[in-house]
Structures are given as structure tokens and as C-alpha cells.
Amino acid sequence: MCSLFQFSRRKAAWPLFLAAVLTASSCGAPATPEGRSRSDFEHPIVLGPDDVRAFPDAPGGFMSRHVGVDHGMIEHFDYASTVTGTTRHANVYLPPHYSRDHHYPVLYLLHGIGGDENEWLNDESPGDILDNLIAAGKAVPMIVVMPNGRAMADDRGGGSNFAPEKLAAFAHFERDLLDCLIPAVEARYSVATDREHRALAGLSMGGGQTLNFGFAHPRKFAWLGAFSPAPNTRPPAELLPDPAVARQFKLVYLSCGRKDGLIFIGQGVHAWLKEHQIPHVWNVDDHAHTSPEWANNFYLFAQRIFR
């Protein structure tokens, strides 16, 4: 279950989603799609000189479960939400040899529009990727929290994922994340609670959430990773009206595939950051808006945070 399920199933639904979120207000309320004549997912792909790989792709077997490698564990986590008035669900990766005697950094990892708290586990194997990186000394042992980024009482994916209330629920997750999920994680697990030990990343819709929420709260997060950010991403000047704020982040990592019709979203953010001389990564590889893109960039991002 990738973002919007498989590409062939999601393509027909993208026009309504994109029309709604591209014209959404800054508070996240979706606008109506009238007046839009084409699907932005089918936007012409125009590559510029900056649209190149920043790093080689992950090696073969990077997301496989290997014999002789110590493995972490995945556990289900429930928390009370004052935003939705319900008990909400997340999955949590604990690194090998997790101990309450150590305070771990935490990555909050967000899914796409058609997914839920299980999407990353089902498609991108973040636990196996991290197990392999940690065993090789290439990543810091960390906790990864994979929540449901659709903050509404009935937060299931499927059905009409493009309904206005579902699109708005992704914006409402900002308060759920900050006011409910993070405090609940910090009460349950042995984690460091300063911004330098807290990261936010996501794919597609979750990539847009990462940029929207992360840049708005520099005191909460020091590391941001947006993989194929979707059109819910606010315009760059609205994301970062004060360039000095962006310089507070230890890493801003943007990625997209050169076969992805949504690359213009990442290109716009990259261009704004470059214009204002804000250090960041812009990684453009050969993938499309698909699971291999997100697994590959999770692998690259995970070994560059918390160092």
C-alpha cells in the first residue's frame, strides 16, 4: 500500500486531490477544484541543471532482513488525542538492544494520502533498513514513530481519500502531532526531548506535512526529510517567510524522482532555499512516485540525522 496505493490505481484520482490542495489556504482547508483544466500529477517534467543525484542509490539488499544482523522490534502504540477525541494508533520501531538506560533520538515518519500508520511497514521496510545501517555503523540507533497522519475520528485510508474533510485532516494532524503524539511518546519511551534529537520526515502527502509543520516549528525539530513532497506543501515564501529560520535546521533533505510529475513541488522549495543560500540537500534520482523512491531516500536520510 504505497501512497495512493499502486500507481495505476491512484492516477485517476490525483486530479481532484491536486486541484484541491494546490489552491488550499494556509490553514490547510481544501478549496474546490473548479477552474483547473489539467492534472498536476501530469504536469510536464522539466529538469534543470540542479536536478541530479546528490548521492548514489542504496546498494542491493539494503532493505532485506539479513542473518547475523541484530534486529530491532516494531510495537503498536496507542495514544489519546484531544484533537480527534479518540484513541489513535501508531507503530514504533525500537532499535536493537533498546534500553531505558539510554535516551534515544526520535524520527516521526509520515505516510502518503492513501496510507495509514502501516504504510511504511508494508512497503518500505524501515526497520530492516535501520537494522542494517545500525549494524554497519552508518546510522545512530534511533526510535521511529509511524503515526496515522489523518487526524479525524475515522482516520482509515481507502474509500474517498480525496474528500475535503480527509484532506483537511492531514493539516489538522499538526496539532495532534505536537500536542498529543510527541508528549505521549516521550512519556512512554526513553527518548531525548530536545529539538536536536527530534526529526520529521515523510513521503508524498507526508512530505508536504513535514515541510509545513517542520518549518513552522523550528524549536521542535532540527532535521527534516521530504520525499516526493505533494501539492499540500505550502508555497516556499509562505513556508519560510524569514530565511533566518531555515538556517536553524541541521538538515533539510528534499528528494524526488525525475519521472515524477510532482517534481515541480520539490524544485520550487529547492530553488527558494538556494536563492536564500540556505544549506540543504536536493536529491533527484531515476524513480517515479513509487515505493522504491521512498525506501531509497529513507536509507539516505536515516544515516545523516542525529550526528
Side-chain angles (χ1 to χ4, degrees):
M1 182 176 58
C2 66
S3 174
L4 301 185
F5 314 110
Q6 298 302 319
F7 172 81
S8 61
R9 293 180 59 190
R10 68 179 171 223
K11 187 175 180 181
W14 264 105
L16 293 176
F17 162 61
L18 295 169
V21 297
L22 269 176
T23 51
S25 69
S26 60
C27 66
T32 57
E34 286 81 0
R36 303 199 63 84
S37 61
R38 60 176 300 128
S39 164
D40 290 287
F41 191 75
E42 297 173 347
H43 190 281
I45 299 173
V46 180
L47 299 176
D50 289 351
D51 299 329
V52 297
R53 292 178 184 275
F55 313 105
D57 273 356
F62 76 100
M63 57 189 297
S64 299
R65 195 170 183 85
H66 297 300
V67 176
V69 168
D70 291 335
H71 300 296
M73 62 180 179
I74 304 291
E75 64 178 43
H76 187 81
F77 177 64
D78 292 336
Y79 66 99
S81 172
T82 56
V83 174
T84 65
T86 60
T87 297
R88 308 203 68 225
H89 312 297
N91 288 303
V92 176
Y93 165 83
L94 300 176
H97 312 297
Y98 169 77
S99 170
R100 296 200 64 83
D101 293 332
H102 179 75
H103 291 99
Y104 296 86
V106 185
L107 165 61
Y108 292 86
L109 189 60
L110 310 181
H111 61 80
I113 192 173
D116 57 20
E117 67 273 14
N118 298 311
E119 180 177 13
W120 275 95
L121 297 181
N122 290 341
D123 294 333
E124 286 80 41
S125 302
D128 291 325
I129 292 173
L130 276 173
D131 288 345
N132 296 334
L133 286 172
I134 292 169
K138 294 182 178 180
V140 173
M142 68 185 76
I143 292 173
V144 181
V145 180
M146 293 160 276
N148 186 318
R150 190 184 295 100
M152 58 192 303
D154 182 358
D155 60 8
R156 294 170 296 178
S160 179
N161 285 314
F162 308 96
E165 64 273 16
K166 287 194 173 183
L167 296 178
F170 281 95
H172 297 158
F173 182 67
E174 181 175 4
R175 295 316 325 167
D176 186 74
L177 170 67
L178 298 173
D179 300 340
C180 307
L181 178 58
I182 290 177
V185 167
E186 293 179 349
R188 168 76 174 270
Y189 297 102
S190 182
V191 302
T193 58
D194 56 297
R195 67 180 292 271
E196 285 79 10
H197 292 89
R198 191 182 298 122
L200 184 64
L203 66 86
S204 194
M205 192 73 156
Q209 288 177 303
T210 293
L211 297 174
N212 293 344
F213 305 163
F215 282 137
H217 300 282
R219 295 184 179 180
K220 287 288 186 180
F221 306 99
W223 316 82
L224 303 180
F227 317 139
S228 315
N232 60 317
T233 306
R234 293 171 183 150
E238 186 178 319
L239 276 175
L240 287 165
D242 180 3
V245 172
R247 297 189 180 95
Q248 299 178 32
F249 292 90
K250 292 184 174 294
L251 176 64
V252 176
Y253 183 105
L254 304 172
S255 67
C256 197
R258 62 177 56 245
K259 300 175 184 176
D260 189 341
L262 298 185
I263 193 172
F264 69 98
I265 303 295
Q267 287 171 324
V269 178
H270 159 67
W272 194 95
L273 294 172
K274 182 179 179 181
E275 177 187 354
H276 291 85
Q277 300 181 331
I278 297 167
H280 66 287
V281 169
W282 174 228
N283 185 49
V284 177
D285 53 34
D286 294 334
H287 300 294
H289 202 80
T290 53
S291 182
E293 167 71 17
W294 306 319
N296 180 63
N297 282 283
F298 175 80
Y299 168 89
L300 295 169
F301 176 73
Q303 57 192 293
R304 290 171 169 83
I305 57 177
F306 307 132
R307 294 189 179 276

